Amino acid sequence: MGTLRLILGDQLSHSLTSLENCDPKRDWLLMAEVREEASYVKHHKKKIAFIFSAMRHFAEELRARGLNLHYTKYHDQDNQGSFYGEVARLCQRQKITKIVVTHPGEYRVLAEIQSWQQKLNIAVEVRQDDRFLASLEEFSNWASGRKQLRMEYFYREMRKAWHFLMDGNKPVGDKWNFDSANRKALPKEMSPPQPTKFEIDTITQEVLELVAKEFDDHFGQLENFHFAVTRDQALVVLDEFIAQRLVNFGDYQDAMVQGQPWMYHSHISFYLNCGLLTPKEVIEQAEYAYRNGDAPLNAVEGFIRQVLGWREYVRGLYWLKMPDYKSENFLEATRSLPKFFWGSHTKMNCLHQCIKETSENAYAHHIQRLMILGNFALLAGLHPDEVNEWYLVVYADAYEWVEMPNVTGMILFADGGLLASKPYAASGSYINKMSDYCKSCDYKVKDKNGPHACPFNYLYWDFLDRNKEKLGNNPRLGMPYRTLNNMSDEKRQTIQRDSQIFFKALEQDEKV
Ligand code: FAD
Ligand code: DLZ
Ligand code: SF4
């Protein structure tokens, strides 16, 4: 007579609530590599390899703690292929009187778990996930009665509640946000350090072989796998970020350089999201670096805002708005995802570089995801379902709770402005300012129209024109709409014509 404690692949934390008051003699822990999770979308090969390897390493640590763990490997003969199948199998084999699980990260998994009590006739307890700094109830209380849910205000409340970067009641430096200092292009003479890399051990090697065999038709490259797969290794990634890159994180947060996928970013989202690191320890280390004089305030505040602000905020928003959030499509976008998102060539160098790096690394930094890939998806009117699926597939840090608000809310404005006060739309000149991609592009960023013009230039105006009814009254778009309204009919027609030629070529699968 014992409790079954299910640990999911993104719950690799020893402090997990589902492990509290575990009886090592009577309780069973269950971890399972299941086909359903690995293929409900066709995750990037590196993402599957990372999760399976991190799961197997975590399982070893649980066993070393003397806990009773049942671990189902992908190739195990009796593997039932789903969480439910594996839970039901263990319930049949052991005398299980209760199932305990920490709140999962995805709505579909929660709905599934909530059905088990009836199906198995065993009590199911879902415990809070206290690895986040705001509980779902706290977020919901904050959101209650507000018309707009701006991250900035939530972030300030979190700073006060947790007393991060505060001097008494005031924010350190007398300002909540130093973002205006964080928009520099990378000077030519600067070269960001290489990311922290780890050797492949026997566990990872076995997993790499499994993925190569079973998921060969999935997107992305498996070669050059160097992710951390244990907490100790993830802590090394964090330490090296704080010591080597945090100092420049703020200044070059928005910069993009061809051949430099990692820049001065932290590369810790993989580890935060699967539980190898906690947001609290990450923020504390960054604040310590500032207090110690090792990193400037614009960098440290900028970094803490991402983890304490954006990360907690998108999770709160996801759970507040699901399941309806999944079907939001405010701008009524319908276009299919172009094939080049899956790796075939595009002449648009910015997109080509970001997709190539995504395929190689299962990673792209924020501004690539937002202002190149996301910007194109917005301007081209790609359907939210297809864009959401792509982002969920291709990044090793992607789980629906964090991916969907970023896609539906941040890049596609599909929630009608719940998350963002205006769409993040930009023409080629922004990309040219923040990157060196345009120098090696077939298109000319300075040309506004015609066959050689940068497509972002005419698509930007076409997007505003197409969506005038829905966006024309947005106070933050006053300037561009005034410019659009002052354009001659001839200019507008040229923009429309170029956009139509471009979209037709996309539809006919021509190389654009
Ligand atoms: P850094 O730039 O070093 O930032 C530090 C940390 O802040 C990140 O590790 C992350 O935990 C957090 N963070 C930063 N921005 C965000 C954000 N907008 N939302 C939530 N957390 C944030 N992040 C994911 O973790 N998983 C996703 O599936 C994901 N999908 C995204 C999709 C789109 C369209 C966009 C625009 C952003 C997405 N992000 C996602 C947010 C962000 O791009 C990544 O967290 C970041 O690039 C991860 O790299 P890093 O660890 O080097 O981050
Ligand atoms: C992403 C993923 C994959 C690819 N495979 C597994 C798996 O086989 N077993 C598992 O427990 N978790 C896996 N995960 C992570 C889950 O998808 C994640 O835990 C849920 O989406 C809940 O957030
Ligand atoms: Fe991208 Fe346009 Fe620059 Fe080419 S010219 S890299 S398409 S922004």
Side-chain angles (χ1 to χ4, degrees):
M1 302 273 271
T3 299
L4 186 161
R5 296 165 190 272
L6 174 67
I7 301 170
L8 304 174
D10 56 354
Q11 298 185 339
L12 311 181
S13 316
H14 287 285
S15 63
L16 208 63
T17 49
S18 59
L19 291 175
E20 277 166 18
N21 48 41
C22 178
D23 182 341
K25 290 206 184 79
R26 294 176 350 143
D27 291 354
W28 276 95
L29 272 47
L30 172 63
M31 295 178 73
E33 296 166 10
V34 290
R35 197 189 57 253
E36 203 166 271
E37 284 309 297
S39 54
Y40 77 97
V41 292
K42 291 176 105 178
H43 303 283
H44 192 300
K45 296 187 193 83
K46 267 202 176 102
K47 178 180 182 184
I48 302 179
F50 165 62
I51 290 169
F52 282 8
S53 178
M55 282 173 70
R56 289 185 186 193
H57 282 91
F58 187 68
E60 287 206 333
E61 292 177 12
L62 291 175
R63 287 206 179 98
R65 279 173 61 185
L67 299 169
N68 241 342
L69 171 72
H70 179 97
Y71 189 99
T72 307
K73 285 187 174 175
Y74 196 80
H75 280 141
D76 283 355
Q77 219 179 11
D78 296 334
N79 189 335
Q80 300 297 297
S82 67
F83 288 142
Y84 174 70
E86 283 302 295
V87 166
R89 186 158 74 101
L90 197 59
C91 287
Q92 273 163 15
R93 287 182 10 188
Q94 308 295 334
K95 286 212 170 88
I96 301 295
T97 50
K98 186 178 177 184
I99 297 166
V100 170
V101 59
T102 292
H103 196 290
E106 301 197 347
Y107 187 87
R108 79 187 158 86
V109 181
L110 180 64
E112 163 72 18
I113 291 170
Q114 282 169 341
S115 73
W116 294 348
Q117 181 146 331
Q118 208 183 16
K119 282 193 203 157
L120 293 164
N121 201 19
I122 296 177
V124 176
E125 185 190 347
V126 178
R127 292 185 178 169
Q128 246 197 62
D129 189 347
D130 66 4
R131 298 171 302 168
F132 289 91
L133 295 166
S135 70
L136 297 179
E137 194 188 352
E138 281 161 349
F139 186 87
S140 163
N141 288 341
W142 171 78
S144 162
R146 284 172 198 260
K147 265 197 194 147
Q148 295 184 317
L149 302 180
R150 293 288 166 256
M151 193 289 293
E152 185 63 31
Y153 298 111
F154 169 75
Y155 165 59
R156 292 179 192 177
E157 294 305 315
M158 291 294 280
R159 289 267 296 273
K160 287 187 232 161
W162 283 89
H163 214 76
F164 287 134
L165 273 189
M166 298 293 291
D167 280 338
N169 295 329
K170 287 184 165 181
V172 169
D174 263 342
K175 254 169 53 174
W176 292 104
N177 184 319
F178 291 82
D179 223 14
S180 54
N182 291 359
R183 290 176 194 141
K184 297 195 178 86
L186 193 75
K188 273 203 191 85
E189 65 279 9
M190 278 186 81
S191 174
Q194 279 302 297
T196 311
K197 295 184 177 177
F198 298 91
E199 294 287 320
I200 291 167
D201 66 7
T202 48
I203 294 181
T204 303
Q205 185 55 39
E206 198 176 301
V207 163
L208 290 172
E209 284 161 22
L210 184 162
V211 173
K213 185 163 172 267
E214 296 291 337
F215 304 100
D216 191 37
D217 61 334
H218 285 212
F219 174 78
Q221 296 173 25
L222 199 50
E223 297 75 30
N224 300 321
F225 184 94
H226 58 70
F227 290 149
V229 288
T230 64
R231 172 164 166 79
D232 284 350
Q233 290 179 341
L235 283 169
V236 174
V237 177
L238 176 61
D239 285 350
E240 294 198 354
F241 165 68
I242 301 279
Q244 298 172 6
R245 284 189 299 273
L246 177 59
V247 63
N248 287 316
F249 174 87
D251 284 0
Y252 308 116
Q253 197 178 349
D254 287 2
M256 294 169 281
V257 178
Q258 186 154 332
Q260 295 284 359
W262 307 97
M263 297 297 285
Y264 290 97
H265 292 269
S266 65
H267 327 137
I268 58 165
S269 50
F270 320 116
Y271 315 122
L272 278 172
N273 295 355
C274 77
L276 295 179
L277 295 175
T278 67
K280 185 163 177 282
E281 69 191 344
V282 162
I283 294 168
E284 281 168 351
Q285 282 216 34
E287 174 156 5
Y288 183 78
Y290 167 70
R291 303 267 182 199
N292 218 20
D294 295 332
L297 188 52
N298 70 310
V300 173
E301 187 283 316
F303 177 74
I304 290 179
R305 180 154 24 91
Q306 307 311 312
V307 182
L308 180 67
W310 279 112
R311 187 171 184 273
E312 297 288 328
Y313 167 86
V314 296
R315 188 232 182 193
L317 190 75
Y318 173 80
W319 286 104
L320 190 69
K321 295 294 171 188
M322 279 299 277
D324 296 349
Y325 206 68
K326 209 179 172 71
S327 42
E328 296 278 16
N329 190 0
F330 175 70
L331 297 176
E332 297 171 76
T334 54
R335 199 173 304 285
S336 291
L337 196 80
K339 283 223 180 83
F340 65 72
F341 270 79
W342 298 111
S344 58
H345 197 76
T346 160
K347 291 194 284 176
M348 291 176 280
N349 189 45
C350 51
L351 284 164
H352 171 66
Q353 295 300 328
C354 293
I355 293 165
K356 180 168 97 52
E357 291 174 356
T358 298
S359 168
E360 286 166 0
N361 303 316
Y363 175 85
H365 64 72
H366 185 66
I367 215 72
Q368 294 177 306
R369 297 188 204 194
L370 178 66
M371 296 311 294
I372 306 287
L373 299 156
N375 186 21
F376 181 82
L378 174 76
L379 300 187
L382 305 187
H383 194 287
D385 287 350
E386 296 198 28
V387 184
N388 269 299
E389 179 166 338
W390 187 81
Y391 276 92
L392 191 57
V393 163
V394 302
Y395 294 115
D397 56 23
Y399 303 88
E400 200 179 75
W401 66 265
V402 53
E403 170 275 321
M404 187 173 284
N406 273 297
V407 169
T408 293
M410 197 180 292
I411 65 168
L412 297 181
F413 206 72
D415 63 5
L418 187 68
L419 181 144
S421 53
K422 72 175 175 80
Y424 284 87
S427 68
S429 64
Y430 171 87
I431 297 173
N432 194 30
K433 194 171 121 213
M434 295 314 300
S435 79
D436 61 357
Y437 295 139
C438 303
K439 284 185 196 142
S440 326
C441 187
D442 285 3
Y443 293 107
K444 291 191 168 55
V445 71
K446 303 276 182 221
D447 286 7
K448 308 285 179 228
N449 286 101
H452 303 297
C454 165
F456 283 89
N457 288 342
Y458 48 80
L459 291 180
Y460 172 78
W461 292 111
D462 188 62
F463 165 79
L464 289 177
D465 214 358
R466 268 186 351 248
N467 293 294
K468 199 171 173 183
E469 218 173 281
K470 288 187 167 157
L471 300 175
N473 290 329
N474 183 318
R476 296 204 57 209
L477 292 175
M479 258 236 292
Y481 270 111
R482 270 194 297 280
T483 310
L484 182 71
N485 292 337
N486 288 333
M487 271 181 198
S488 66
D489 286 349
E490 196 192 343
K491 173 84 182 155
R492 264 165 104 152
Q493 279 159 12
T494 311
I495 287 168
Q496 274 174 16
R497 188 205 58 209
D498 283 346
S499 302
Q500 275 159 19
I501 293 171
F502 180 86
F503 287 138
K504 196 158 177 221
L506 260 193
E507 274 150 33
Q508 294 180 343
D509 212 15
E510 286 169 23
K511 191 163 151 187
V512 290

